[in-house]
Amino acid sequence: MRYFIELSYRGTAYHGWQTQANGISVQQTLEAALTQRLGKPIYVVGSGRTDAGVHAEQQFAHFDVDEPLMLSDQLLYSLNCMLPEDIAIQTFFPVRPTDHARFSAVSRYYQYHITRQKNAFLNGMTYHFRPQLNEARMNEACQLLLQHRDFQSFSKARANVTNFLCRLEFAYWQRTVDDRLTFHIKANRFLWGMVRTIVGTMVEVGQHRMSLGQFEQIILAKDRTIAGRAAPPNGLYLVEVGYPAEVLAQRASALTHG
């Protein structure tokens, strides 16, 4: 039996999603709680690997067990009690054996938050960046971004991928009433470090340190060394992971009865 977990987490205290030797990860923490609660070794596969310090408002993972689980509100509650306060499971539900948290996903939606004013309650949750940014110019850069599909210039150099093609659905900047500047971007896939590098490069555009022509030349060059510095991880959020309706067929029922 295969189950999907829907969860959220504040990434500040973790060395990213993926289990690793040099620090505590979200995956490792989740697996430990599931293993303890279910009484057998549990290994989870996430929809994607968020970097150290990156947050997720919605993340999905799957795991396999030999026997069906007795899904109940008590099981969900007990698991959340075992997890740290910065990781929360919203629900879990059965899926088909062929459904995969990573490979069945059809889209990912990220947001990046920038605040000009220091806020004691948002420490580690946004990028505190004091210089004024021209979001109109940054939105013009977004329009250029949407005209392309190869984003090698915004990928970490040692990314282990066969191609750098991504199909963007939207990309835009929006200023909120509390003067927070938020970057919205959705695509079928993202490269390692892609969103943070796009943000870091667009910040140069927003400060009038880079022309729109130079921004497009960076895209066309397919060369990471000429793009801007990656923005810090603390402003980045994985907001939504999209799946075909048949993958999420049991989710509505689980949310209703969870």
Side-chain angles (χ1 to χ4, degrees):
M1 289 289 297
R2 174 163 292 183
Y3 291 87
F4 264 36
I5 307 173
E6 182 181 353
L7 69 152
S8 57
Y9 51 84
R10 186 170 67 244
T12 308
Y14 300 96
H15 286 242
W17 163 265
Q18 188 177 18
T19 297
Q20 50 195 290
N22 65 341
I24 300 298
S25 70
V26 178
Q27 180 185 16
Q28 175 185 351
T29 306
L30 181 62
E31 286 176 344
L34 286 165
T35 295
Q36 182 179 348
R37 180 62 179 81
L38 299 179
K40 60 191 73 177
I42 300 294
Y43 305 98
V44 302
V45 176
S47 70
R49 302 171 181 176
T50 52
D51 287 342
V54 175
H55 318 290
E57 291 185 7
Q58 184 185 65
Q59 169 72 291
F60 284 93
H62 78 250
F63 67 94
D64 296 323
V65 289
D66 295 331
E67 301 292 334
L69 298 177
M70 293 294 293
L71 301 182
S72 66
D73 181 61
Q74 180 58 37
L75 177 59
L76 182 63
Y77 176 76
S78 63
L79 278 166
N80 275 321
C81 287
M82 296 167 73
L83 287 166
E85 291 186 353
D86 49 12
I87 301 177
I89 299 175
Q90 277 68 57
T91 188
F92 45 94
F93 52 94
V95 294
R96 299 165 301 187
T98 55
D99 293 332
H100 194 284
R102 179 183 175 190
F103 298 125
S104 297
V106 294
S107 65
R108 281 92 172 169
Y109 168 26
Y110 282 91
Q111 291 179 1
Y112 193 95
H113 300 284
I114 297 176
T115 50
R116 293 194 68 223
Q117 302 297 327
K118 183 178 180 180
N119 187 319
F121 297 99
L122 294 176
N123 181 41
M125 304 300 291
T126 65
Y127 178 24
H128 176 216
F129 187 76
R130 185 64 185 165
Q132 187 66 259
L133 294 170
N134 184 337
E135 68 264 32
R137 284 189 97 239
M138 294 160 77
N139 274 320
E140 289 184 64
C142 286
Q143 291 305 307
L144 293 173
L145 199 69
L146 290 169
Q147 296 174 21
H148 296 274
R149 289 195 61 190
D150 191 314
F151 298 103
Q152 184 172 352
S153 290
F154 300 118
S155 173
K156 288 187 179 180
R158 61 183 187 278
N160 183 24
V161 294
T162 57
N163 68 77
F164 298 90
L165 303 178
C166 305
R167 194 169 59 252
L168 299 189
E169 188 170 325
F170 58 70
Y172 63 93
W173 289 88
Q174 183 178 46
R175 192 174 293 277
T176 61
V177 291
D178 60 353
D179 203 32
R180 185 184 305 188
L181 196 57
T182 301
F183 180 52
H184 303 260
I185 186 166
K186 184 176 182 180
N188 66 317
R189 67 187 284 243
F190 286 91
L191 305 168
W192 188 16
M194 177 175 163
V195 180
R196 289 170 54 202
T197 307
I198 288 174
V199 170
T201 308
M202 283 196 177
V203 162
E204 297 293 307
V205 175
Q207 293 180 92
H208 296 266
R209 292 182 174 181
M210 179 184 297
S211 70
L212 293 169
Q214 289 172 319
F215 179 78
E216 186 163 35
Q217 284 304 310
I218 287 173
I219 301 172
L220 295 171
K222 302 178 184 178
D223 181 358
R224 173 64 186 91
T225 63
I226 66 170
R229 185 173 57 185
N234 46 286
L236 183 59
Y237 292 71
L238 174 60
V239 174
E240 179 184 85
V241 185
Y243 292 94
E246 56 269 24
V247 176
L248 301 180
Q250 299 295 323
R251 177 173 174 265
S253 176
L255 288 170
T256 301
H257 296 96

